[in-house]
């Protein structure tokens, strides 16, 4: 067994590998860019080696420097994690040549499966179901249109070396095929250095279901059940679960056996994933094989009780698998939510910056455990006060729960999301909460088009309605009373005789967009010490009374307690938003900003005029923090609606800004290469 391994990655996956290595008594070496010098994975490792500047092409993608770090520290093996060099055939081969064990498949397996065209041919030879399509590289866009028409729309245009949603488009007509081919080719060339494109039939109403396989160097291969990964946005997974709520035992067995056959055909060693697209009648077709550990591997770990990173390390060290197919468990139900630094209310634009507050929900399951226990697990590479840099992907953490069944897992996940506190950057937690509450998701009736279908016009606050909005208002009153009583107690200590009397009557002013506020009277009943506080709200539907017992300490961002005897977890924030008097309440993805007022003050507040924000319609603003890589216009230029104005790069994705109306450019306010902040002006129109 190895005594020291190097993790050629960053973030949560580097921390994940370190956890297992520590459990196995193996020393670890971290590598880092300048942007990650204080990162969590650097702090956790036994040693750390600097690679270079923040851009990955100048740090994490430098194979020579990683090999050099192994030699410098005496690391006997490299775990590549996922992304970066994890599926780089040349890197795996180089490690072998240098006498460094690659904790992953052999270079020949990566080569065979990393090329989507070659892998499809191999799958056919191994008698694995494949999708009809054109499997040779396509020379140009016109040829792509001709091929697409021959296959029949819709078609999927894919980069041979693509992954992570890059180099992939779905086309429903000639125009989309022409544009999609060019876009895929550009993305693939920039991201992977390989612009070969192929086309295949797009299976309508498809589900994305993948089989986890594990092989050793002695010819043994098993499958570890499946993962349902159909909840995707722009071909990137959002929620994953195991097992799938859709497929039958017979389909599971057939898919698993085909995945094993394909793995054996390429003499696969280590953990890998065979991805399938599954039609509405459970007909399934091979998509690709990911020759690495998947982001969503924890859901498989929780239903099988296996530590996949440990298995990878043992296989790389030459050990045989200690179990066979009949020994693989499938217990309970696991769900994973990817918590990303992005703003769902601004079309999921990246959100970078400092984590002013980062408090994950309490966990009782941990990385590196080999268990099928029930509970909550958090995989993350960040810490409270840490930085979310713009150079890498947007994932902050993975939140994983394991329940007795699917309904139990959904309930556990919703409660865990309620307790996940992130301040300083925006996150997709409200969107995750909306997905988990959607009736179609709860029933298991969805496919890969679920998000595009139900959130076709983006995600809005009204897409995550609360089943009891008055409860949020009652919580706002309770928090207001907490701070008022604290102030009253302090005042009584210093100015005897001036202590405030308890107030019973309030008005909750819920702050709406554009000054559209609503006002609800609230009455607080007399409460005996140690008993729940009774708060009655005069809602339009009639009075609602809430018996609230809240465990709250000064400075808490997350609170728990009971409402009418039922437990809950919520988030409370004082002075949130643009109003310093506002109280923010967040529960089940819904956010309420409110001011709790004296009834007379509320009447005066209704008379306050609304101050509209300045008119910025003549400006093109940066919708996110990022690097301005192109300004496509110049002063005096006439621009038509829909024309490209600028391109911003953030978190490995290019975002193109277009003119919303015809106009003439008055001035360019930002220069190419400049780091932009949110809402910074880029171009001004006359």
């Amino acid at each position: 067994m190895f005594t020291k391994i190097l993790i050629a990655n960053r973030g949560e996956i580097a921390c994940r590998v370190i956890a297992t290595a520590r459990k196995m008594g193996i020393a670890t070496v971290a590598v880092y860019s300048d942007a990650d010098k204080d990162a969590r994975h650097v702090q956790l490792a036994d040693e750390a080696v600097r690679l270079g500047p923040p851009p990955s092409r100048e740090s994490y993608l430098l194979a020579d420097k990683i090999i050099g770090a192994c030699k410098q520290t005496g690391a006997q093996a490299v775990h590549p994690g996922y992304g970066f060099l994890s599926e780089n055939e040349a890197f795996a081969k180089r490690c072998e040549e240098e006498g460094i064990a690659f904790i992953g498949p052999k270079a020949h397996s990566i080569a065979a499966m990393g090329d989507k065209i070659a892998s499809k041919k191999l799958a056919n030879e191994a008698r694995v179901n494949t999708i009809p399509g054109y499997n040779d590289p396509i020379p140009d866009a016109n040829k792509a249109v001709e091929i697409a028409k021959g296959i029949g729309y819709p078609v999927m245009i894919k980069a041979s070396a693509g992954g992570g949603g890059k180099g992939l488009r779905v086309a429903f007509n000639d125009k989309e095929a022409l544009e999609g081919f060019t876009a895929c080719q550009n993305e693939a060339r920039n991201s992977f250095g390989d612009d070969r494109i192929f086309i295949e039939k797009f299976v309508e109403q498809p589900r994305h279901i993948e089989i986890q396989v594990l092989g050793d160097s002695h010819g043994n291969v098993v499958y570890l059940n499946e993962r349902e990964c159909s909840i995707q946005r722009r071909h990137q997974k959002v929620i994953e679960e195991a097992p799938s709520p859709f497929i039958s035992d017979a389909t599971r067995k057939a898919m698993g056996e085909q995945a094993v056959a394909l793995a054996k055909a390429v003499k696969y060693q280590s953990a890998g994933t065979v991805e399938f697209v599954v039609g509405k009648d459970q007909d399934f077709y091979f998509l690709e094989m990911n020759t690495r550990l998947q982001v969503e591997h924890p859901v498989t770990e929780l239903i099988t009780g296996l530590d996949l990173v440990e298995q990878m390390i043992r296989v790389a060290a030459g050990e045989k698998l200690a179990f066979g197919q009949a020994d693989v468990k499938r217990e309970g139900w696991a769900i994973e939510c990817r918590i990303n630094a992005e703003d769902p209310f601004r079309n999921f634009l990246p959100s970078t910056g400092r984590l002013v507050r980062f408090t994950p929900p309490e966990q009782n399951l941990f990385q590196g455990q080999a268990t099928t226990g029930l509970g909550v697990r958090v995989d993350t590479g960040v810490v409270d006060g840490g930085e979310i840099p713009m150079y890498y992907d947007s994932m902050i953490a993975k939140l994983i729960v394991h329940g007795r069944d699917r309904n139990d897992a959904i309930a556990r996940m919703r409660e865990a999301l309620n307790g996940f506190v992130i301040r300083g950057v925006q996150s997709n937690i409200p969107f995750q909460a909306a997905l988990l509450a959607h009736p179609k998701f709860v029933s298991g009736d969805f496919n890969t088009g679920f998000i595009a279908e139900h959130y076709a016009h983006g995600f809005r606050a009204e897409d995550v309605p609360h089943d009891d909005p008055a409860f949020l208002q009652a919580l706002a009153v309770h928090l207001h009373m907490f701070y008022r009583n604290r102030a009253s107690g302090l005042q009584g200590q210093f100015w005897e005789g001036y202590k405030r009397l308890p107030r019973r009557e309030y008005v909750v002013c819920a702050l709406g967009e554009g000054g559209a506020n609503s006002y609800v009277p609230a009455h607080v009943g007399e409460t005996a010490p140690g008993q729940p506080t009774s708060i009655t709200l005069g809602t339009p539907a009639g009075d609602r009374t809430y018996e609230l017992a809240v465990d709250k300490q000064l400075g808490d961002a997350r609170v728990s307690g009971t409402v009418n005897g039922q437990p809950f977890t919520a988030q409370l924030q004082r002075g949130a938003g643009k109003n310093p008097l506002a109280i923010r309440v967040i529960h089940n993805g819904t956010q309420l900003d409110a001011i709790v007022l004296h009834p007379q003050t509320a009447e005066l507040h209704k008379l306050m005029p609304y101050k509209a924000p300045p008119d910025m319609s003549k400006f093109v603003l940066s919708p996110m923090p990022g690097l301005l890589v192109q300004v496509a216009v110049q002063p005096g230029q006439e621009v038509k609606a829909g024309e490209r104005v600028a391109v911003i790069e953030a978190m490995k994705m290019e975002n193109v800004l277009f003119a919303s109306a015809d106009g003439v450019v008055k001035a360019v306010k930002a220069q190419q290469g400049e780091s932009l902040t949110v809402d910074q002006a880029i171009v001004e129109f006359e």
Side-chain angles (χ1 to χ4, degrees):
M1 181 52 64
F2 312 118
T3 58
K4 183 184 289 189
I5 64 174
L6 181 143
I7 301 100
N9 217 299
R10 64 178 298 279
E12 66 86 16
I13 188 57
C15 297
R16 166 72 191 89
V17 176
I18 290 169
T20 288
R22 180 174 292 169
K23 177 189 72 174
M24 298 176 70
I26 301 171
T28 54
V29 180
V31 291
Y32 63 92
S33 71
D34 291 340
D36 284 336
K37 65 181 185 300
D38 297 319
R40 182 170 181 257
H41 75 280
V42 175
Q43 306 301 321
L44 289 177
D46 298 295
E47 301 174 62
V49 177
R50 176 185 178 272
L51 292 177
S56 55
R57 63 182 175 275
E58 300 176 38
S59 52
Y60 295 105
L61 291 175
L62 295 178
D64 287 344
K65 286 203 171 185
I66 291 171
I67 296 292
C70 288
K71 293 181 177 180
Q72 173 188 331
T73 59
Q76 303 148 309
V78 170
H79 196 302
Y82 50 74
F84 294 141
L85 296 170
S86 62
E87 294 180 283
N88 187 300
E89 172 200 358
F91 178 64
K93 189 175 182 181
R94 175 79 185 281
C95 288
E96 292 174 15
E97 291 171 349
E98 297 284 351
I100 300 166
F102 183 77
I103 304 176
K106 297 299 181 183
H108 63 81
S109 299
I110 296 175
M113 291 291 101
D115 186 315
K116 289 183 174 59
I117 294 172
S119 67
K120 192 170 181 180
K121 291 179 179 178
L122 275 167
N124 279 323
E125 293 171 7
R127 298 185 177 180
V128 176
N129 302 345
T130 57
I131 302 173
Y134 187 88
N135 298 327
D136 292 314
I138 299 169
D140 55 53
N142 291 326
K143 182 66 174 176
V145 173
E146 179 186 330
I147 291 168
K149 287 196 291 187
I151 295 172
Y153 292 108
V155 298
M156 185 173 285
I157 303 168
K158 302 174 72 173
S160 184
K166 297 183 183 65
L168 189 153
R169 295 290 189 281
V170 176
F172 289 85
N173 52 53
D174 291 355
K175 181 176 181 291
E176 291 180 1
L178 191 75
E179 295 174 350
F181 177 87
T182 303
C184 283
Q185 198 169 54
N186 290 338
E187 282 186 9
R189 186 186 301 115
N190 294 334
S191 297
F192 310 108
D194 182 347
D195 64 359
R196 290 175 301 151
I197 304 296
F198 70 105
I199 293 178
E200 63 188 19
K201 179 69 177 176
F202 179 65
V203 179
E204 297 189 76
Q205 297 184 18
R207 296 181 83 115
H208 183 120
I209 298 176
E210 59 192 32
I211 301 291
Q212 175 73 59
V213 296
L214 185 64
D216 63 22
S217 58
H218 304 275
N220 302 304
V221 182
V222 297
Y223 68 92
L224 308 180
N225 302 309
E226 82 285 0
R227 295 187 287 258
E228 171 76 68
C229 304
S230 300
I231 301 297
Q232 303 178 3
R233 195 186 72 83
R234 296 180 181 174
H235 308 293
Q236 292 190 317
K237 299 163 188 173
V238 178
I239 296 177
E240 301 101 347
E241 56 184 308
S244 166
F246 177 63
I247 66 173
S248 65
D249 286 340
T251 303
R252 175 179 295 112
K253 184 174 184 292
M255 291 174 69
E257 289 174 349
Q258 288 198 14
V260 168
L262 181 61
K264 286 184 174 180
V266 293
K267 296 181 174 59
Y268 197 84
Q269 303 173 28
S270 192
T273 300
V274 181
E275 300 194 347
F276 293 93
V277 59
V278 183
K280 59 182 180 180
D281 297 322
Q282 298 202 24
D283 47 323
F284 59 90
Y285 307 98
F286 169 73
L287 275 177
E288 62 182 334
M289 184 175 188
N290 289 307
T291 53
R292 54 171 167 80
L293 193 66
Q294 291 280 91
V295 174
E296 57 273 18
H297 75 273
V299 295
T300 296
E301 293 186 322
L302 290 178
I303 67 166
T304 61
L306 294 170
D307 179 346
L308 290 184
V309 174
E310 178 182 350
Q311 296 301 320
M312 293 179 75
I313 293 172
R314 292 192 181 282
V315 167
E319 294 186 13
K320 282 186 178 181
L321 294 181
F323 54 90
Q325 190 63 58
D327 302 312
V328 176
K329 299 177 184 177
R330 179 161 56 88
E331 296 184 7
W333 210 284
I335 299 177
E336 173 180 298
C337 285
R338 299 191 186 194
I339 309 302
N340 296 333
E342 57 190 19
D343 190 343
F345 301 109
R346 294 175 65 122
N347 199 29
F348 299 90
L349 290 171
S351 179
T352 60
R354 185 166 298 282
L355 286 163
V356 176
R357 194 147 195 178
F358 179 76
T359 310
E362 293 184 9
Q363 58 178 328
N364 63 323
L365 302 174
F366 300 91
Q367 298 172 332
Q369 277 186 322
T371 178
T372 54
L374 305 180
V376 177
R377 167 175 158 182
V378 181
D379 288 15
T380 185
V382 303
V383 293
D384 194 34
E387 193 80 18
I388 302 296
M390 68 178 183
Y391 306 99
Y392 314 113
D393 65 50
S394 62
M395 189 157 56
I396 301 174
K398 299 183 312 199
L399 180 60
I400 313 105
V401 300
H402 189 213
R404 291 181 299 276
D405 52 33
R406 191 167 187 268
N407 287 336
D408 183 40
I410 290 173
R412 288 173 187 266
M413 181 61 81
R414 295 188 71 188
E415 191 68 3
L417 288 171
N418 281 335
F420 207 134
V421 179
I422 297 175
R423 304 277 189 270
V425 301
Q426 299 299 317
S427 81
N428 64 338
I429 286 177
F431 183 56
Q432 296 278 16
L435 293 174
L436 288 159
H438 198 287
K440 291 280 190 180
F441 178 82
V442 173
S443 67
D445 180 16
F446 54 81
N447 55 56
T448 56
F450 177 84
I451 290 176
E453 176 187 352
H454 295 285
Y455 303 95
H457 304 292
F459 182 67
R460 303 162 298 176
E462 51 265 37
D463 290 327
V464 56
H466 201 279
D467 55 4
D468 188 5
F471 165 60
L472 305 184
Q473 296 170 340
L475 269 179
V477 173
H478 198 286
L479 181 64
H480 175 81
M481 290 173 56
F482 172 85
Y483 282 105
R484 190 177 188 277
N485 292 340
R486 181 176 179 274
S488 176
L490 291 174
Q491 191 179 57
Q493 292 179 32
F494 296 107
W495 293 285
E496 190 173 347
Y498 289 91
K499 188 173 182 178
R500 296 179 183 179
L501 295 174
R503 184 181 295 166
R504 302 293 179 198
E505 306 300 328
Y506 297 94
V507 171
V508 181
C509 169
L511 302 175
E513 288 291 329
N517 304 330
S518 62
Y519 298 83
V520 175
H523 171 77
V524 180
E526 294 190 23
T527 304
Q531 295 299 309
T533 301
S534 178
I535 300 175
T536 301
L537 293 162
T539 69
D543 289 353
R544 297 289 303 272
T545 298
Y546 298 88
E547 301 290 335
L548 279 166
V550 180
D551 182 14
K552 166 71 177 169
Q553 301 295 324
L554 186 65
D556 284 350
R558 178 176 65 211
V559 298
S560 58
T562 60
V563 53
N564 298 334
Q566 296 300 311
F568 74 91
T569 302
Q571 296 181 36
L572 303 176
Q573 188 178 357
R574 193 183 186 198
K578 297 179 180 179
N579 192 318
L581 299 177
I583 293 169
R584 176 167 294 170
V585 181
I586 303 172
H587 183 254
N588 284 351
T590 301
Q591 176 178 298
L592 168 72
D593 286 353
I595 308 174
V596 181
L597 303 167
H598 185 280
Q600 290 178 320
T601 308
E603 292 303 314
L604 296 174
H605 190 270
K606 293 177 184 178
L607 303 176
M608 295 290 289
Y610 172 70
K611 184 178 179 181
D615 181 14
M616 301 298 288
S617 61
K618 292 186 179 297
F619 292 84
V620 174
L621 307 177
S622 176
M624 66 193 142
L627 182 69
L628 183 60
V629 297
Q630 181 189 25
V631 179
V633 298
Q634 55 189 1
Q637 180 178 338
E638 290 188 11
V639 178
K640 298 294 184 183
E643 282 190 35
R644 175 184 295 219
V645 174
V647 179
I648 301 171
E649 185 181 275
M651 292 181 168
K652 302 197 296 186
M653 298 292 284
E654 282 193 349
N655 299 272
V656 182
L657 305 184
F658 300 97
S660 59
D662 296 353
V664 177
V665 176
K666 179 179 180 180
V668 175
K669 299 287 189 178
Q671 303 303 313
Q672 183 174 318
E674 185 174 340
S675 292
L676 303 175
T677 57
V678 176
D679 291 334
Q680 182 176 338
I682 301 171
V683 173
E684 181 182 3
F685 286 89
E686 293 181 357

